[in-house]
Amino acid sequence: MRRIRLITREEAWKRAERIRREYEAIYGIEFKLESAFIPLDCIVPTQAELSEVKLLVVLQEIKHGYDAPVIVIPHGDRYYLIDGHHRAFALKKLGFGEVEAIILVPGKKFTPGVVNTAEKGGLKRLEDVRIVRD
């Protein structure tokens, strides 16, 4: 069986910083990182499938205090998930209403590519994600 390594809080912030730099290079606008608790019902996934094995690990770890934040970008009244699909889905399944998030806040209005990704995949809420056996 393959070993599943979960991201730490520190690694989540480092990943968010890397994504911020990439988005600034791609879109030519500045972004800042903010931290907040956001409603899980306002999150739109951008990944259509999740690994059942990894999800089971994340569910167990959350029960034991695992709390790495997810990474999102706001658009309209929704938050599009960039990183942390298993974490957000697991929290929703466990009955949580909110998730700690690192929010990639754009310096001006624009439509991020992940919005189109979600629309093409028919993804509007966490419940739209499929769990696949691996």
Side-chain angles (χ1 to χ4, degrees):
M1 186 167 147
R2 67 185 167 108
R3 178 166 152 59
I4 295 176
R5 185 184 171 290
L6 302 181
I7 189 171
T8 65
R9 292 182 67 77
E10 181 179 283
E11 289 168 332
W13 278 97
K14 286 180 182 177
R15 186 173 290 177
E17 183 59 39
R18 180 183 49 79
I19 292 168
R20 181 191 63 79
R21 288 190 309 270
E22 289 173 2
Y23 270 48
E24 286 178 346
I26 292 167
Y27 295 108
I29 59 177
E30 288 189 23
F31 291 84
K32 64 181 177 174
L33 300 178
E34 294 181 356
S35 178
F37 282 86
I38 60 173
L40 286 163
D41 287 338
C42 291
I43 290 182
V44 177
T46 58
Q47 183 177 319
E49 297 179 343
L50 299 180
S51 158
E52 179 183 54
V53 171
K54 184 173 180 180
L55 181 59
L56 292 172
V57 170
V58 172
L59 283 162
Q60 276 304 112
E61 291 301 316
I62 287 172
K63 290 177 184 177
H64 292 96
Y66 179 61
D67 66 349
V70 299
I71 303 170
V72 298
I73 188 165
H75 183 71
D77 61 349
R78 313 286 291 183
Y79 293 93
Y80 287 78
L81 200 51
I82 297 172
D83 187 74
H85 286 79
H86 287 86
R87 283 169 271 159
F89 191 89
L91 287 167
K92 182 83 171 170
K93 286 296 176 197
L94 290 170
F96 287 81
E98 294 181 322
V99 61
E100 183 180 3
I102 302 169
I103 305 168
L104 193 62
V105 181
K108 66 178 186 178
K109 285 184 95 172
F110 83 111
T111 301
V114 292
V115 172
N116 297 328
T117 300
E119 287 175 358
K120 285 179 187 173
L123 303 170
K124 296 180 181 164
R125 55 197 184 112
L126 287 169
E127 293 84 354
D128 294 335
V129 174
R130 290 187 319 276
I131 308 304
V132 296
R133 292 185 182 242
D134 43 357

